Amino acid sequence: MMDLPNCPKCNSEYTYEDGSLLICPECSHEWTLEGENSEEKKIIKDANGNALNDGDSVSIIKDLKVKGSSSALKIGTKVKNIRLVDGDHNIDCQIEGFGAMKLKSEFVKKI
């Protein structure tokens, strides 16, 4: 049996594993073990499951409405030299003819 750490919130010893999460049944706190799982969290994938890297070129797979603008980004728009960032919108880029934009990786595919 593997020794699991005590809950960091309530110090309960009755923690259990559920996939990559550790869960405390007493206070319902959920957390991940740092170390081997921290590398997996940094991999950002496109809509087809391909890993994305800084400097990649991608194509938009769906028409996207842009808040504060009357125009939309059309399907097939190519975006060059992306930069990966943390957050909900995990791609930072410069779209030719549109300007600086943040995109979600689920709406692009790697070229």
Side-chain angles (χ1 to χ4, degrees), residues 4-39:
L4 296 175
N6 290 353
C7 175
K9 192 171 182 183
C10 71
N11 205 28
S12 171
E13 61 183 10
Y14 301 111
T15 59
Y16 64 93
E17 243 180 322
D18 185 16
S20 63
L21 288 176
L22 294 174
I23 302 173
C24 175
E26 292 184 1
C27 69
S28 301
H29 181 64
E30 298 178 357
W31 74 98
T32 59
L33 278 177
E34 297 300 321
E36 64 200 42
N37 292 338
S38 63
E39 190 65 32

PDB file of all heavy atoms in Angstrom, residues 4-39:
ATOM      1  N   LEU A   4       0.139   7.773   1.452  1.00  0.00           N
ATOM      2  CA  LEU A   4      -0.372   9.029   0.945  1.00  0.00           C
ATOM      3  C   LEU A   4      -0.203  10.102   2.017  1.00  0.00           C
ATOM      4  O   LEU A   4      -0.320   9.818   3.203  1.00  0.00           O
ATOM      5  CB  LEU A   4      -1.849   8.894   0.572  1.00  0.00           C
ATOM      6  CG  LEU A   4      -2.146   7.929  -0.577  1.00  0.00           C
ATOM      7  CD1 LEU A   4      -3.643   7.786  -0.774  1.00  0.00           C
ATOM      8  CD2 LEU A   4      -1.498   8.407  -1.857  1.00  0.00           C
ATOM      9  N   PRO A   5       0.052  11.342   1.597  1.00  0.00           N
ATOM     10  CA  PRO A   5       0.240  12.410   2.582  1.00  0.00           C
ATOM     11  C   PRO A   5      -1.084  12.776   3.264  1.00  0.00           C
ATOM     12  O   PRO A   5      -2.158  12.532   2.728  1.00  0.00           O
ATOM     13  CB  PRO A   5       0.759  13.574   1.750  1.00  0.00           C
ATOM     14  CG  PRO A   5       0.226  13.318   0.385  1.00  0.00           C
ATOM     15  CD  PRO A   5       0.208  11.821   0.224  1.00  0.00           C
ATOM     16  N   ASN A   6      -0.963  13.358   4.437  1.00  0.00           N
ATOM     17  CA  ASN A   6      -2.147  13.868   5.136  1.00  0.00           C
ATOM     18  C   ASN A   6      -2.714  15.055   4.368  1.00  0.00           C
ATOM     19  O   ASN A   6      -2.014  15.730   3.613  1.00  0.00           O
ATOM     20  CB  ASN A   6      -1.790  14.294   6.553  1.00  0.00           C
ATOM     21  CG  ASN A   6      -1.474  13.110   7.444  1.00  0.00           C
ATOM     22  OD1 ASN A   6      -1.648  11.958   7.056  1.00  0.00           O
ATOM     23  ND2 ASN A   6      -1.003  13.393   8.638  1.00  0.00           N
ATOM     24  N   CYS A   7      -3.973  15.337   4.593  1.00  0.00           N
ATOM     25  CA  CYS A   7      -4.643  16.468   3.957  1.00  0.00           C
ATOM     26  C   CYS A   7      -3.963  17.771   4.382  1.00  0.00           C
ATOM     27  O   CYS A   7      -3.773  18.012   5.575  1.00  0.00           O
ATOM     28  CB  CYS A   7      -6.114  16.486   4.360  1.00  0.00           C
ATOM     29  SG  CYS A   7      -7.003  17.930   3.758  1.00  0.00           S
ATOM     30  N   PRO A   8      -3.593  18.648   3.433  1.00  0.00           N
ATOM     31  CA  PRO A   8      -2.946  19.906   3.798  1.00  0.00           C
ATOM     32  C   PRO A   8      -3.902  20.902   4.458  1.00  0.00           C
ATOM     33  O   PRO A   8      -3.470  21.836   5.116  1.00  0.00           O
ATOM     34  CB  PRO A   8      -2.438  20.457   2.468  1.00  0.00           C
ATOM     35  CG  PRO A   8      -3.238  19.778   1.433  1.00  0.00           C
ATOM     36  CD  PRO A   8      -3.661  18.459   1.993  1.00  0.00           C
ATOM     37  N   LYS A   9      -5.207  20.673   4.321  1.00  0.00           N
ATOM     38  CA  LYS A   9      -6.183  21.602   4.879  1.00  0.00           C
ATOM     39  C   LYS A   9      -6.560  21.241   6.321  1.00  0.00           C
ATOM     40  O   LYS A   9      -6.556  22.086   7.196  1.00  0.00           O
ATOM     41  CB  LYS A   9      -7.427  21.620   3.996  1.00  0.00           C
ATOM     42  CG  LYS A   9      -8.388  22.727   4.285  1.00  0.00           C
ATOM     43  CD  LYS A   9      -9.458  22.782   3.230  1.00  0.00           C
ATOM     44  CE  LYS A   9     -10.407  23.932   3.492  1.00  0.00           C
ATOM     45  NZ  LYS A   9     -11.479  23.956   2.512  1.00  0.00           N
ATOM     46  N   CYS A  10      -6.901  19.942   6.565  1.00  0.00           N
ATOM     47  CA  CYS A  10      -7.369  19.558   7.902  1.00  0.00           C
ATOM     48  C   CYS A  10      -6.468  18.527   8.577  1.00  0.00           C
ATOM     49  O   CYS A  10      -6.755  18.079   9.673  1.00  0.00           O
ATOM     50  CB  CYS A  10      -8.794  19.023   7.828  1.00  0.00           C
ATOM     51  SG  CYS A  10      -8.934  17.405   7.033  1.00  0.00           S
ATOM     52  N   ASN A  11      -5.401  18.115   7.888  1.00  0.00           N
ATOM     53  CA  ASN A  11      -4.416  17.162   8.406  1.00  0.00           C
ATOM     54  C   ASN A  11      -4.991  15.757   8.642  1.00  0.00           C
ATOM     55  O   ASN A  11      -4.475  15.000   9.446  1.00  0.00           O
ATOM     56  CB  ASN A  11      -3.738  17.699   9.672  1.00  0.00           C
ATOM     57  CG  ASN A  11      -2.378  17.079   9.878  1.00  0.00           C
ATOM     58  OD1 ASN A  11      -1.728  16.681   8.914  1.00  0.00           O
ATOM     59  ND2 ASN A  11      -1.943  16.984  11.108  1.00  0.00           N
ATOM     60  N   SER A  12      -6.052  15.402   7.950  1.00  0.00           N
ATOM     61  CA  SER A  12      -6.647  14.069   8.067  1.00  0.00           C
ATOM     62  C   SER A  12      -5.730  13.040   7.430  1.00  0.00           C
ATOM     63  O   SER A  12      -5.098  13.288   6.407  1.00  0.00           O
ATOM     64  CB  SER A  12      -8.003  14.037   7.370  1.00  0.00           C
ATOM     65  OG  SER A  12      -8.487  12.707   7.309  1.00  0.00           O
ATOM     66  N   GLU A  13      -5.659  11.869   8.022  1.00  0.00           N
ATOM     67  CA  GLU A  13      -4.811  10.802   7.484  1.00  0.00           C
ATOM     68  C   GLU A  13      -5.567   9.880   6.533  1.00  0.00           C
ATOM     69  O   GLU A  13      -5.004   8.962   5.962  1.00  0.00           O
ATOM     70  CB  GLU A  13      -4.203   9.985   8.628  1.00  0.00           C
ATOM     71  CG  GLU A  13      -5.227   9.297   9.495  1.00  0.00           C
ATOM     72  CD  GLU A  13      -4.619   8.549  10.661  1.00  0.00           C
ATOM     73  OE1 GLU A  13      -3.425   8.711  10.927  1.00  0.00           O
ATOM     74  OE2 GLU A  13      -5.356   7.792  11.300  1.00  0.00           O
ATOM     75  N   TYR A  14      -6.846  10.128   6.323  1.00  0.00           N
ATOM     76  CA  TYR A  14      -7.682   9.242   5.518  1.00  0.00           C
ATOM     77  C   TYR A  14      -7.811   9.689   4.064  1.00  0.00           C
ATOM     78  O   TYR A  14      -8.872   9.556   3.460  1.00  0.00           O
ATOM     79  CB  TYR A  14      -9.070   9.120   6.149  1.00  0.00           C
ATOM     80  CG  TYR A  14      -9.020   8.585   7.557  1.00  0.00           C
ATOM     81  CD1 TYR A  14      -9.330   9.397   8.631  1.00  0.00           C
ATOM     82  CD2 TYR A  14      -8.619   7.286   7.800  1.00  0.00           C
ATOM     83  CE1 TYR A  14      -9.268   8.910   9.927  1.00  0.00           C
ATOM     84  CE2 TYR A  14      -8.548   6.782   9.089  1.00  0.00           C
ATOM     85  CZ  TYR A  14      -8.873   7.609  10.137  1.00  0.00           C
ATOM     86  OH  TYR A  14      -8.797   7.127  11.413  1.00  0.00           O
ATOM     87  N   THR A  15      -6.763  10.215   3.496  1.00  0.00           N
ATOM     88  CA  THR A  15      -6.802  10.656   2.099  1.00  0.00           C
ATOM     89  C   THR A  15      -6.799   9.463   1.164  1.00  0.00           C
ATOM     90  O   THR A  15      -6.329   8.380   1.504  1.00  0.00           O
ATOM     91  CB  THR A  15      -5.597  11.558   1.779  1.00  0.00           C
ATOM     92  OG1 THR A  15      -4.403  10.839   2.028  1.00  0.00           O
ATOM     93  CG2 THR A  15      -5.622  12.826   2.605  1.00  0.00           C
ATOM     94  N   TYR A  16      -7.357   9.661  -0.025  1.00  0.00           N
ATOM     95  CA  TYR A  16      -7.351   8.607  -1.034  1.00  0.00           C
ATOM     96  C   TYR A  16      -7.111   9.219  -2.409  1.00  0.00           C
ATOM     97  O   TYR A  16      -7.267  10.409  -2.616  1.00  0.00           O
ATOM     98  CB  TYR A  16      -8.653   7.794  -1.014  1.00  0.00           C
ATOM     99  CG  TYR A  16      -9.906   8.564  -1.362  1.00  0.00           C
ATOM    100  CD1 TYR A  16     -10.375   8.612  -2.661  1.00  0.00           C
ATOM    101  CD2 TYR A  16     -10.623   9.238  -0.372  1.00  0.00           C
ATOM    102  CE1 TYR A  16     -11.525   9.302  -2.989  1.00  0.00           C
ATOM    103  CE2 TYR A  16     -11.778   9.928  -0.685  1.00  0.00           C
ATOM    104  CZ  TYR A  16     -12.229   9.950  -1.994  1.00  0.00           C
ATOM    105  OH  TYR A  16     -13.361  10.638  -2.304  1.00  0.00           O
ATOM    106  N   GLU A  17      -6.723   8.348  -3.351  1.00  0.00           N
ATOM    107  CA  GLU A  17      -6.401   8.761  -4.703  1.00  0.00           C
ATOM    108  C   GLU A  17      -7.593   8.553  -5.621  1.00  0.00           C
ATOM    109  O   GLU A  17      -8.279   7.536  -5.544  1.00  0.00           O
ATOM    110  CB  GLU A  17      -5.238   7.913  -5.235  1.00  0.00           C
ATOM    111  CG  GLU A  17      -4.004   8.683  -5.537  1.00  0.00           C
ATOM    112  CD  GLU A  17      -2.895   7.798  -6.047  1.00  0.00           C
ATOM    113  OE1 GLU A  17      -2.740   6.679  -5.563  1.00  0.00           O
ATOM    114  OE2 GLU A  17      -2.184   8.261  -6.948  1.00  0.00           O
ATOM    115  N   ASP A  18      -7.829   9.498  -6.503  1.00  0.00           N
ATOM    116  CA  ASP A  18      -8.852   9.368  -7.535  1.00  0.00           C
ATOM    117  C   ASP A  18      -8.244   9.902  -8.828  1.00  0.00           C
ATOM    118  O   ASP A  18      -8.270  11.097  -9.092  1.00  0.00           O
ATOM    119  CB  ASP A  18     -10.102  10.146  -7.154  1.00  0.00           C
ATOM    120  CG  ASP A  18     -11.235   9.941  -8.156  1.00  0.00           C
ATOM    121  OD1 ASP A  18     -11.162   8.995  -8.952  1.00  0.00           O
ATOM    122  OD2 ASP A  18     -12.186  10.739  -8.132  1.00  0.00           O
ATOM    123  N   GLY A  19      -7.669   9.016  -9.619  1.00  0.00           N
ATOM    124  CA  GLY A  19      -6.949   9.432 -10.822  1.00  0.00           C
ATOM    125  C   GLY A  19      -5.678  10.154 -10.422  1.00  0.00           C
ATOM    126  O   GLY A  19      -4.852   9.624  -9.693  1.00  0.00           O
ATOM    127  N   SER A  20      -5.531  11.403 -10.861  1.00  0.00           N
ATOM    128  CA  SER A  20      -4.346  12.186 -10.508  1.00  0.00           C
ATOM    129  C   SER A  20      -4.586  13.073  -9.288  1.00  0.00           C
ATOM    130  O   SER A  20      -3.685  13.771  -8.848  1.00  0.00           O
ATOM    131  CB  SER A  20      -3.915  13.043 -11.691  1.00  0.00           C
ATOM    132  OG  SER A  20      -4.932  13.972 -11.992  1.00  0.00           O
ATOM    133  N   LEU A  21      -5.803  13.041  -8.736  1.00  0.00           N
ATOM    134  CA  LEU A  21      -6.133  13.866  -7.573  1.00  0.00           C
ATOM    135  C   LEU A  21      -6.023  13.080  -6.280  1.00  0.00           C
ATOM    136  O   LEU A  21      -6.251  11.870  -6.249  1.00  0.00           O
ATOM    137  CB  LEU A  21      -7.573  14.381  -7.670  1.00  0.00           C
ATOM    138  CG  LEU A  21      -7.866  15.452  -8.683  1.00  0.00           C
ATOM    139  CD1 LEU A  21      -9.352  15.769  -8.700  1.00  0.00           C
ATOM    140  CD2 LEU A  21      -7.093  16.713  -8.392  1.00  0.00           C
ATOM    141  N   LEU A  22      -5.700  13.777  -5.208  1.00  0.00           N
ATOM    142  CA  LEU A  22      -5.796  13.235  -3.860  1.00  0.00           C
ATOM    143  C   LEU A  22      -6.990  13.928  -3.216  1.00  0.00           C
ATOM    144  O   LEU A  22      -7.169  15.140  -3.367  1.00  0.00           O
ATOM    145  CB  LEU A  22      -4.520  13.506  -3.069  1.00  0.00           C
ATOM    146  CG  LEU A  22      -3.274  12.786  -3.580  1.00  0.00           C
ATOM    147  CD1 LEU A  22      -2.050  13.242  -2.801  1.00  0.00           C
ATOM    148  CD2 LEU A  22      -3.432  11.291  -3.452  1.00  0.00           C
ATOM    149  N   ILE A  23      -7.804  13.169  -2.486  1.00  0.00           N
ATOM    150  CA  ILE A  23      -9.035  13.704  -1.921  1.00  0.00           C
ATOM    151  C   ILE A  23      -9.111  13.378  -0.445  1.00  0.00           C
ATOM    152  O   ILE A  23      -8.771  12.269  -0.024  1.00  0.00           O
ATOM    153  CB  ILE A  23     -10.266  13.129  -2.651  1.00  0.00           C
ATOM    154  CG1 ILE A  23     -10.185  13.460  -4.136  1.00  0.00           C
ATOM    155  CG2 ILE A  23     -11.562  13.644  -2.042  1.00  0.00           C
ATOM    156  CD1 ILE A  23     -11.239  12.816  -4.982  1.00  0.00           C
ATOM    157  N   CYS A  24      -9.573  14.335   0.340  1.00  0.00           N
ATOM    158  CA  CYS A  24      -9.797  14.145   1.769  1.00  0.00           C
ATOM    159  C   CYS A  24     -11.294  13.911   1.982  1.00  0.00           C
ATOM    160  O   CYS A  24     -12.104  14.782   1.647  1.00  0.00           O
ATOM    161  CB  CYS A  24      -9.334  15.366   2.556  1.00  0.00           C
ATOM    162  SG  CYS A  24      -9.723  15.253   4.312  1.00  0.00           S
ATOM    163  N   PRO A  25     -11.696  12.771   2.545  1.00  0.00           N
ATOM    164  CA  PRO A  25     -13.120  12.510   2.751  1.00  0.00           C
ATOM    165  C   PRO A  25     -13.725  13.334   3.889  1.00  0.00           C
ATOM    166  O   PRO A  25     -14.935  13.476   3.964  1.00  0.00           O
ATOM    167  CB  PRO A  25     -13.166  11.020   3.073  1.00  0.00           C
ATOM    168  CG  PRO A  25     -11.834  10.707   3.629  1.00  0.00           C
ATOM    169  CD  PRO A  25     -10.873  11.631   2.952  1.00  0.00           C
ATOM    170  N   GLU A  26     -12.903  13.871   4.756  1.00  0.00           N
ATOM    171  CA  GLU A  26     -13.424  14.616   5.903  1.00  0.00           C
ATOM    172  C   GLU A  26     -13.783  16.057   5.569  1.00  0.00           C
ATOM    173  O   GLU A  26     -14.808  16.564   6.001  1.00  0.00           O
ATOM    174  CB  GLU A  26     -12.433  14.561   7.060  1.00  0.00           C
ATOM    175  CG  GLU A  26     -12.305  13.167   7.638  1.00  0.00           C
ATOM    176  CD  GLU A  26     -11.391  13.098   8.847  1.00  0.00           C
ATOM    177  OE1 GLU A  26     -10.851  14.134   9.275  1.00  0.00           O
ATOM    178  OE2 GLU A  26     -11.217  11.983   9.351  1.00  0.00           O
ATOM    179  N   CYS A  27     -12.934  16.742   4.800  1.00  0.00           N
ATOM    180  CA  CYS A  27     -13.213  18.153   4.479  1.00  0.00           C
ATOM    181  C   CYS A  27     -13.462  18.381   2.985  1.00  0.00           C
ATOM    182  O   CYS A  27     -13.650  19.510   2.552  1.00  0.00           O
ATOM    183  CB  CYS A  27     -12.075  19.047   4.970  1.00  0.00           C
ATOM    184  SG  CYS A  27     -10.531  18.851   4.061  1.00  0.00           S
ATOM    185  N   SER A  28     -13.394  17.318   2.162  1.00  0.00           N
ATOM    186  CA  SER A  28     -13.639  17.357   0.712  1.00  0.00           C
ATOM    187  C   SER A  28     -12.612  18.174  -0.062  1.00  0.00           C
ATOM    188  O   SER A  28     -12.871  18.613  -1.178  1.00  0.00           O
ATOM    189  CB  SER A  28     -15.041  17.897   0.410  1.00  0.00           C
ATOM    190  OG  SER A  28     -16.003  17.093   1.019  1.00  0.00           O
ATOM    191  N   HIS A  29     -11.430  18.380   0.521  1.00  0.00           N
ATOM    192  CA  HIS A  29     -10.367  19.115  -0.158  1.00  0.00           C
ATOM    193  C   HIS A  29      -9.735  18.207  -1.216  1.00  0.00           C
ATOM    194  O   HIS A  29      -9.519  17.032  -0.983  1.00  0.00           O
ATOM    195  CB  HIS A  29      -9.314  19.559   0.858  1.00  0.00           C
ATOM    196  CG  HIS A  29      -8.184  20.335   0.265  1.00  0.00           C
ATOM    197  ND1 HIS A  29      -8.365  21.563  -0.329  1.00  0.00           N
ATOM    198  CD2 HIS A  29      -6.863  20.053   0.170  1.00  0.00           C
ATOM    199  CE1 HIS A  29      -7.197  22.000  -0.764  1.00  0.00           C
ATOM    200  NE2 HIS A  29      -6.279  21.111  -0.476  1.00  0.00           N
ATOM    201  N   GLU A  30      -9.467  18.771  -2.415  1.00  0.00           N
ATOM    202  CA  GLU A  30      -8.824  18.028  -3.497  1.00  0.00           C
ATOM    203  C   GLU A  30      -7.536  18.732  -3.889  1.00  0.00           C
ATOM    204  O   GLU A  30      -7.478  19.949  -3.958  1.00  0.00           O
ATOM    205  CB  GLU A  30      -9.741  17.955  -4.717  1.00  0.00           C
ATOM    206  CG  GLU A  30     -11.038  17.242  -4.452  1.00  0.00           C
ATOM    207  CD  GLU A  30     -11.944  17.222  -5.676  1.00  0.00           C
ATOM    208  OE1 GLU A  30     -11.583  17.819  -6.707  1.00  0.00           O
ATOM    209  OE2 GLU A  30     -13.010  16.609  -5.591  1.00  0.00           O
ATOM    210  N   TRP A  31      -6.482  17.946  -4.163  1.00  0.00           N
ATOM    211  CA  TRP A  31      -5.199  18.512  -4.572  1.00  0.00           C
ATOM    212  C   TRP A  31      -4.425  17.462  -5.352  1.00  0.00           C
ATOM    213  O   TRP A  31      -4.795  16.300  -5.391  1.00  0.00           O
ATOM    214  CB  TRP A  31      -4.411  19.018  -3.360  1.00  0.00           C
ATOM    215  CG  TRP A  31      -3.802  17.964  -2.482  1.00  0.00           C
ATOM    216  CD1 TRP A  31      -2.523  17.520  -2.491  1.00  0.00           C
ATOM    217  CD2 TRP A  31      -4.457  17.200  -1.462  1.00  0.00           C
ATOM    218  NE1 TRP A  31      -2.337  16.547  -1.546  1.00  0.00           N
ATOM    219  CE2 TRP A  31      -3.518  16.331  -0.897  1.00  0.00           C
ATOM    220  CE3 TRP A  31      -5.763  17.161  -0.970  1.00  0.00           C
ATOM    221  CZ2 TRP A  31      -3.827  15.429   0.114  1.00  0.00           C
ATOM    222  CZ3 TRP A  31      -6.076  16.275   0.037  1.00  0.00           C
ATOM    223  CH2 TRP A  31      -5.111  15.429   0.576  1.00  0.00           C
ATOM    224  N   THR A  32      -3.347  17.904  -6.005  1.00  0.00           N
ATOM    225  CA  THR A  32      -2.477  16.985  -6.739  1.00  0.00           C
ATOM    226  C   THR A  32      -1.121  16.963  -6.068  1.00  0.00           C
ATOM    227  O   THR A  32      -0.723  17.917  -5.410  1.00  0.00           O
ATOM    228  CB  THR A  32      -2.282  17.430  -8.204  1.00  0.00           C
ATOM    229  OG1 THR A  32      -1.724  18.724  -8.216  1.00  0.00           O
ATOM    230  CG2 THR A  32      -3.582  17.407  -8.973  1.00  0.00           C
ATOM    231  N   LEU A  33      -0.429  15.866  -6.269  1.00  0.00           N
ATOM    232  CA  LEU A  33       0.942  15.767  -5.762  1.00  0.00           C
ATOM    233  C   LEU A  33       1.852  16.544  -6.694  1.00  0.00           C
ATOM    234  O   LEU A  33       1.788  16.377  -7.912  1.00  0.00           O
ATOM    235  CB  LEU A  33       1.404  14.308  -5.721  1.00  0.00           C
ATOM    236  CG  LEU A  33       0.966  13.495  -4.530  1.00  0.00           C
ATOM    237  CD1 LEU A  33       1.449  12.063  -4.684  1.00  0.00           C
ATOM    238  CD2 LEU A  33       1.502  14.063  -3.238  1.00  0.00           C
ATOM    239  N   GLU A  34       2.672  17.413  -6.178  1.00  0.00           N
ATOM    240  CA  GLU A  34       3.642  18.135  -6.991  1.00  0.00           C
ATOM    241  C   GLU A  34       4.775  17.173  -7.322  1.00  0.00           C
ATOM    242  O   GLU A  34       5.048  16.239  -6.599  1.00  0.00           O
ATOM    243  CB  GLU A  34       4.190  19.350  -6.238  1.00  0.00           C
ATOM    244  CG  GLU A  34       3.147  20.379  -5.911  1.00  0.00           C
ATOM    245  CD  GLU A  34       2.463  20.950  -7.135  1.00  0.00           C
ATOM    246  OE1 GLU A  34       3.134  21.178  -8.156  1.00  0.00           O
ATOM    247  OE2 GLU A  34       1.250  21.139  -7.067  1.00  0.00           O
ATOM    248  N   GLY A  35       5.441  17.430  -8.436  1.00  0.00           N
ATOM    249  CA  GLY A  35       6.550  16.552  -8.811  1.00  0.00           C
ATOM    250  C   GLY A  35       6.250  15.905 -10.135  1.00  0.00           C
ATOM    251  O   GLY A  35       6.307  16.549 -11.167  1.00  0.00           O
ATOM    252  N   GLU A  36       5.905  14.623 -10.141  1.00  0.00           N
ATOM    253  CA  GLU A  36       5.708  13.906 -11.391  1.00  0.00           C
ATOM    254  C   GLU A  36       4.504  14.414 -12.170  1.00  0.00           C
ATOM    255  O   GLU A  36       4.503  14.384 -13.384  1.00  0.00           O
ATOM    256  CB  GLU A  36       5.569  12.410 -11.118  1.00  0.00           C
ATOM    257  CG  GLU A  36       4.337  12.046 -10.293  1.00  0.00           C
ATOM    258  CD  GLU A  36       4.446  10.697  -9.630  1.00  0.00           C
ATOM    259  OE1 GLU A  36       5.538  10.409  -9.106  1.00  0.00           O
ATOM    260  OE2 GLU A  36       3.473   9.963  -9.653  1.00  0.00           O
ATOM    261  N   ASN A  37       3.459  14.908 -11.534  1.00  0.00           N
ATOM    262  CA  ASN A  37       2.282  15.395 -12.238  1.00  0.00           C
ATOM    263  C   ASN A  37       2.428  16.835 -12.708  1.00  0.00           C
ATOM    264  O   ASN A  37       1.681  17.279 -13.550  1.00  0.00           O
ATOM    265  CB  ASN A  37       1.045  15.288 -11.338  1.00  0.00           C
ATOM    266  CG  ASN A  37       0.667  13.849 -11.070  1.00  0.00           C
ATOM    267  OD1 ASN A  37       1.038  12.966 -11.823  1.00  0.00           O
ATOM    268  ND2 ASN A  37      -0.059  13.627 -10.003  1.00  0.00           N
ATOM    269  N   SER A  38       3.380  17.588 -12.161  1.00  0.00           N
ATOM    270  CA  SER A  38       3.507  18.988 -12.538  1.00  0.00           C
ATOM    271  C   SER A  38       3.938  19.144 -14.000  1.00  0.00           C
ATOM    272  O   SER A  38       3.586  20.113 -14.638  1.00  0.00           O
ATOM    273  CB  SER A  38       4.485  19.710 -11.613  1.00  0.00           C
ATOM    274  OG  SER A  38       5.767  19.158 -11.732  1.00  0.00           O
ATOM    275  N   GLU A  39       4.686  18.198 -14.529  1.00  0.00           N
ATOM    276  CA  GLU A  39       5.111  18.254 -15.927  1.00  0.00           C
ATOM    277  C   GLU A  39       3.917  18.022 -16.851  1.00  0.00           C
ATOM    278  O   GLU A  39       3.817  18.614 -17.903  1.00  0.00           O
ATOM    279  CB  GLU A  39       6.199  17.212 -16.179  1.00  0.00           C
ATOM    280  CG  GLU A  39       6.875  17.328 -17.525  1.00  0.00           C
ATOM    281  CD  GLU A  39       7.656  18.619 -17.699  1.00  0.00           C
ATOM    282  OE1 GLU A  39       8.196  19.137 -16.711  1.00  0.00           O
ATOM    283  OE2 GLU A  39       7.722  19.109 -18.834  1.00  0.00           O
TER     284      GLU A  39
END
